[in-house]
């Protein structure tokens, strides 16, 4: 099931052995940071991390996400709880 905001949508996602899944809470994508401290991390940056690291292990992808998130956040206060789950089939 894919949940977007307040309306659950059921979708079948085709997958095969070796595919990588990353599940994040909005605290990850909504974190303010960067050079201005006024922009959210966003889905584009998340997608970029996944595109660059898609051949890496789930642990390596998680480490890259954690590293890039911390660098993005910088000295800004954490806005929300952050949960990340990455797994490979």
């Amino acid at each position: 099931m894919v949940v977007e905001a307040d309306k659950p949508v059921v979708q079948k996602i085709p997958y095969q052995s070796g595919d990588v899944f990353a599940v994040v809470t909005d605290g990850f994508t909504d974190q303010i940071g960067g050079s201005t401290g006024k922009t959210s991390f966003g889905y584009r940056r998340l997608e970029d991390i996944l595109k660059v690291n898609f051949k890496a292990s789930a642990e390596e992808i998680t480490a890259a996400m954690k590293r890039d998130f911390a660098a993005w956040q910088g000295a800004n206060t954490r806005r929300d709880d952050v949960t990340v789950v990455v797994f490979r089939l």
Side-chain angles (χ1 to χ4, degrees):
M1 176 161 64
V2 176
V3 179
E4 297 177 8
D6 293 326
K7 43 184 232 189
V9 178
V10 177
Q11 293 180 330
K12 289 186 178 184
I13 301 172
Y15 58 87
Q16 58 189 359
S17 180
D19 284 353
V20 174
F21 289 82
V23 181
V24 300
T25 58
D26 63 345
F28 190 90
T29 54
D30 291 349
Q31 178 60 47
I32 297 300
S35 60
T36 65
K38 296 180 181 181
T39 306
S40 64
F41 190 84
Y43 288 98
R44 184 186 55 79
R45 286 179 185 81
L46 173 58
E47 288 175 15
D48 289 347
I49 294 169
L50 297 173
K51 285 177 183 176
V52 168
N53 295 285
F54 76 96
K55 290 185 179 182
S57 69
E59 292 82 7
E60 292 167 326
I61 294 169
T62 303
M65 292 171 71
K66 185 176 180 179
R67 181 188 63 242
D68 288 5
F69 181 85
W72 179 260
Q73 180 179 341
N76 293 288
T77 303
R78 179 76 48 91
R79 295 177 53 138
D80 198 355
D81 62 302
V82 175
T83 303
V84 174
V85 177
V86 178
F87 61 94
R88 181 179 300 279
L89 294 180

